[in-house]
Amino acid sequence: MTPDDIRQELDEYTDGKSAEHVKRYFKTGPGEYGEGDVFLGVKVPHIRKLAGKHRAELSPDDLEQLLLSDIHEIRYFALVVMKDLFSGKNAGKEDRRAIFDLYMKKRDRVNNWDLVDMSAPGIAGAWLYGEDRSILFDLARSGVLWDRRISIVATLFFIRNHEFGPTLSLAGILLNDKEDLIHKAVGWMLREIGKRDFTVLEDFMQANHKKMPRTMLRYAIEKYPEPMRRAYLKG
């Protein structure tokens, strides 16, 4: 299937008013992080429905072409299919490796936070959980915003399996990042650790809270008992 084929099916759900809203929401204006991205205004449940309908007939070459689309929802569609194929019961190790390799090869097309957050744990994190994780540290030092977000958000898969070390190490690398989207992602991952082991999060916070950007701090301590949260916010 080609991007034009998927576009025709997505057109059934296109909403011009919604498209204008999401273009602002995902910062597509000049100089913003999503500059130039094209939205149809199709809601995620409709994209997922189409992904379920077509995933069995899409080849790796099809998926690569879909990722090259300028249309955000088509790239989202491709990533949903890739994640579903990766986690499918019939996927062997070579199948999963091929999906991961395609993801990394075309990660420049995973270029907004919703694309990263939906795909990085279930593809990059799921593959690297049993492999060498050094690539995550390379991504964390990348000059590309989305590489850095992939690096930390991918570790949500590790966190869900109660392995916290990679997340904490990456958080340390990203403490001084200049981008708010990274502050939010790191704070989110730290909060996810705290849901599972409060002591691990608190040890990290005690050692690092004075160096953390305000947004990262707020996200990390969102579930803290109120007196502790206020104390951290007061410094």
Side-chain angles (χ1 to χ4, degrees), residues 154-200:
T155 67
L156 181 58
F157 189 91
F158 302 170
I159 294 168
R160 287 171 175 163
N161 286 278
H162 294 270
E163 183 180 349
F164 309 133
T167 307
L168 297 173
S169 296
L170 289 162
I173 293 171
L174 295 168
L175 274 179
N176 297 315
D177 200 280
K178 304 301 183 186
E179 294 287 348
D180 190 60
L181 283 173
I182 301 301
H183 303 168
K184 291 176 179 177
V186 174
W188 169 27
M189 292 304 106
L190 292 172
R191 184 175 72 235
E192 291 296 322
I193 290 174
K195 289 178 182 178
R196 293 158 176 84
D197 192 324
F198 182 79
T199 300
V200 171

Side-chain angles (χ1 to χ4, degrees), residues 178-229:
K178 304 301 183 186
E179 294 287 348
D180 190 60
L181 283 173
I182 301 301
H183 303 168
K184 291 176 179 177
V186 174
W188 169 27
M189 292 304 106
L190 292 172
R191 184 175 72 235
E192 291 296 322
I193 290 174
K195 289 178 182 178
R196 293 158 176 84
D197 192 324
F198 182 79
T199 300
V200 171
L201 173 57
E202 177 60 5
D203 287 347
F204 184 87
M205 295 302 299
Q206 286 287 332
N208 295 285
H209 72 276
K210 292 182 179 179
K211 298 176 283 187
M212 295 174 76
R214 188 75 167 179
T215 298
M216 189 186 296
L217 175 66
R218 286 194 296 104
Y219 271 59
I221 63 173
E222 185 177 302
K223 302 297 183 181
Y224 266 42
E226 188 59 22
M228 291 183 69
R229 194 183 73 84

Side-chain angles (χ1 to χ4, degrees), residues 5-187:
D5 295 329
I6 300 302
R7 169 68 189 269
Q8 289 180 11
E9 295 203 45
L10 289 172
D11 278 345
E12 178 182 349
Y13 306 106
T14 295
D15 181 338
K17 188 174 181 180
S18 176
E20 290 303 313
H21 169 73
V22 293
K23 281 196 295 185
R24 293 190 297 271
Y25 185 67
F26 287 105
K27 307 296 184 185
T28 62
E32 295 182 311
Y33 60 73
E35 181 177 358
D37 207 352
V38 178
F39 284 84
L40 301 176
V42 181
K43 297 187 184 302
V44 168
H46 297 312
I47 300 173
R48 290 187 179 278
K49 179 180 177 181
L50 287 177
K53 176 182 175 183
H54 292 297
R55 63 173 172 254
E57 61 198 79
L58 289 164
S59 70
D61 287 343
D62 291 333
L63 292 167
E64 185 167 348
Q65 289 303 308
L66 291 169
L67 287 173
L68 293 175
S69 174
D70 291 335
I71 297 173
H72 188 96
E73 288 93 340
I74 292 179
R75 300 198 305 283
Y76 195 102
F77 169 91
L79 291 166
V80 170
V81 170
M82 289 168 65
K83 187 177 78 164
D84 289 350
L85 290 174
F86 187 100
S87 62
K89 62 181 180 181
N90 295 322
K93 185 169 184 178
E94 290 306 311
D95 299 316
R96 294 193 297 272
R97 177 61 190 254
I99 293 168
F100 170 75
D101 286 346
L102 176 59
Y103 186 81
M104 296 305 296
K105 176 184 174 184
K106 292 298 179 184
R107 69 181 187 276
D108 63 311
R109 310 304 296 155
V110 188
N111 55 356
N112 215 312
W113 59 264
D114 64 320
L115 303 177
V116 172
D117 296 357
M118 179 274 293
S119 63
I123 299 176
W127 175 259
L128 293 170
Y129 183 65
E131 303 290 333
D132 177 7
R133 292 88 176 272
S134 60
I135 192 170
L136 293 178
F137 294 86
D138 294 337
L139 294 177
R141 296 181 174 95
S142 169
V144 178
L145 165 62
W146 307 118
D147 282 354
R148 302 198 303 277
R149 187 155 176 127
I150 287 170
S151 76
I152 190 69
V153 175
T155 67
L156 181 58
F157 189 91
F158 302 170
I159 294 168
R160 287 171 175 163
N161 286 278
H162 294 270
E163 183 180 349
F164 309 133
T167 307
L168 297 173
S169 296
L170 289 162
I173 293 171
L174 295 168
L175 274 179
N176 297 315
D177 200 280
K178 304 301 183 186
E179 294 287 348
D180 190 60
L181 283 173
I182 301 301
H183 303 168
K184 291 176 179 177
V186 174

